[in-house]
Amino acid sequence: MPGSLVLVGGDPGIGKSTLMLQAAARLAQRGTVVAYVCGEESPRQVRLRATRLGVGEAPVTLIPESSLDAALAAAEGAGASVVIIDSIQSVYVEGLDTRSGGPAQLSEAGARLVAFSKTNEITTIVTGHVTKSGEIAGPRLLEHLVDAVLYFENAEGGSVRVLRAIKNRFGATDEVGVFEMTGEGLQSVENPSSALLESHDADASGCAVTAVIEGSRPLALEVQALAVPTNLASPRRIASGLETSRLHLLLAVLARRGGVNTGAMDVVASVSGGMRLRDTGADLAILAALASAASDQPLPRATACLGEVALSGAVRPVHQSQRRLAELSRVGFKRCLVPNGTPAVDGIVLIPVRNVRDALQSLHR
Ligand code: TYD
Ligand code: MG
């Protein structure tokens, strides 16, 4: 959006600079005047990287400035309609007697950037290192000031990176971009489902596959669960990629409606590729993963799960079931547990289930 201010956050080394340089080059090749404020690297280093990324010829104006005001003035002088500041921690506001990247600097820089982007109608993208520990007063301080916040995140252990909108004043927040870091920079992953299922082990217990709708596209992904006997009075429940409250709820449904009790077990659940599950259509897969983990029995091969789970144990319909099933079929799934009444889709056998008990029976290998 012209004149918007966007924050791109992420761990150091995740690939923010690479993404920004590639985006800047593409925009410049299409005729947009782009200024790139490189506070962290010298223009020579940035040029070298651009050459390595195959975009060395793109007419991006590099501004080696660490004074924010000077950098913005230079960008305006260059007639830029897009300005990238890489990173917010590497520029400082003159006249403030505090270290760059500190809270006072960040809030003053934020205020100046808002004024700059709005007054000049210049789209301004700011990167920021977010470290998971410490540094509470990091670039997150800027989140409420900017129009959009994107986080660039790493899928555990893989080369897949996910760019996710956390806040967006001008559009949806549920779109994700999926990229892979290669020798030639970031490449868009054309087939994210396959990337997310890359490490899927059909013979491991606690692994269930489902398809969710992320923004405008269906994505197949894997839910993993592990359940082990606990020696704690209050067993551990650890969830990553899903809300802990949802894990609790599904464990309660599993116990009461499915007869699988995990009260004496520590339970860990996670989602492949560092994806975050918001889609309730994944409930049945989470439940199946938990049941499989509790019994240490793998689920049937090439069988996915689709369905929302109610407190009553009923398995409820999901929206866009056709597109999800088509995606599961495309990535090689032959069967899918679905809520009763789900219309057929070519290439995948549907196993209709009415409730959790039905589902657990159908999932015996
Ligand atoms: P970088 O964009 O500098 O990360 P950030 O700005 O978020 O700190 O990229 C960091 C990593 O990416 C670095 O470890 C090297 C790697 N990388 C590649 O693997 N291929 C490439 O083509 C480039 C440019 C970087
Ligand atoms: Mg960087």
Side-chain angles (χ1 to χ4, degrees), residues 153-285:
E153 297 167 341
N154 196 359
E156 296 119 67
S159 55
V160 176
R161 308 226 182 327
V162 178
L163 184 69
R164 183 193 310 281
I166 301 295
K167 161 182 174 177
N168 191 354
R169 282 194 185 137
F170 303 116
T173 52
D174 53 3
E175 292 287 351
V176 295
V178 184
F179 301 88
E180 190 165 11
M181 184 63 93
T182 72
E184 285 81 48
L186 290 158
Q187 306 285 336
S188 169
V189 175
E190 299 305 333
N191 193 346
S193 295
S194 297
L196 290 172
L197 293 178
E198 204 171 37
S199 57
H200 173 58
D201 179 353
D203 292 323
S205 67
C207 300
V209 171
T210 189
V212 296
I213 303 290
E214 274 281 353
S216 54
R217 63 183 165 191
L219 271 184
L221 49 78
E222 181 189 55
V223 181
Q224 293 184 352
L226 192 63
V228 290
T230 186
N231 46 25
L232 299 171
S234 168
R236 259 184 285 251
R237 294 326 182 206
I238 302 168
S240 91
L242 65 153
E243 300 285 319
T244 310
S245 56
R246 192 155 164 216
L247 176 60
H248 280 284
L249 187 148
L250 289 168
L251 285 172
V253 174
L254 187 63
R256 178 65 78 210
R257 312 294 177 191
V260 179
N261 202 320
T262 54
M265 295 173 173
D266 287 332
V267 178
V268 185
S270 73
V271 181
S272 63
M275 298 295 296
R276 214 171 313 146
L277 277 185
R278 277 174 290 194
D279 189 330
T280 50
D283 282 352
L284 191 58

Side-chain angles (χ1 to χ4, degrees), residues 12-13 15-18 36 40-41 49 86-87 127 129:
K16 298 179 296 296
S17 299
T18 308
Y36 186 107
E40 289 190 346
E41 288 126 324
R49 181 189 295 216
D86 188 24
S87 64
T127 70
H129 299 304

Side-chain angles (χ1 to χ4, degrees), residues 91-106 108:
V91 293
Y92 68 96
V93 179
E94 277 173 278
L96 278 187
D97 193 20
T98 51
R99 74 187 168 88
S100 69
Q105 280 285 343
L106 280 173
E108 184 55 32

Side-chain angles (χ1 to χ4, degrees), residues 79-163:
S81 52
V82 173
V83 178
I84 295 169
I85 297 173
D86 188 24
S87 64
I88 190 68
Q89 277 101 342
S90 68
V91 293
Y92 68 96
V93 179
E94 277 173 278
L96 278 187
D97 193 20
T98 51
R99 74 187 168 88
S100 69
Q105 280 285 343
L106 280 173
S107 49
E108 184 55 32
R112 291 193 192 192
L113 286 165
V114 171
F116 173 79
S117 60
K118 300 292 171 261
T119 313
N120 303 298
E121 284 248 317
I122 294 175
T123 305
T124 310
I125 306 173
V126 185
T127 70
H129 299 304
V130 181
T131 40
K132 288 206 175 91
S133 56
E135 199 84 15
I136 305 159
R140 284 176 189 268
L141 274 177
L142 297 175
E143 283 182 359
H144 70 284
L145 286 174
V146 302
D147 298 308
V149 179
L150 310 180
Y151 273 101
F152 205 26
E153 297 167 341
N154 196 359
E156 296 119 67
S159 55
V160 176
R161 308 226 182 327
V162 178
L163 184 69

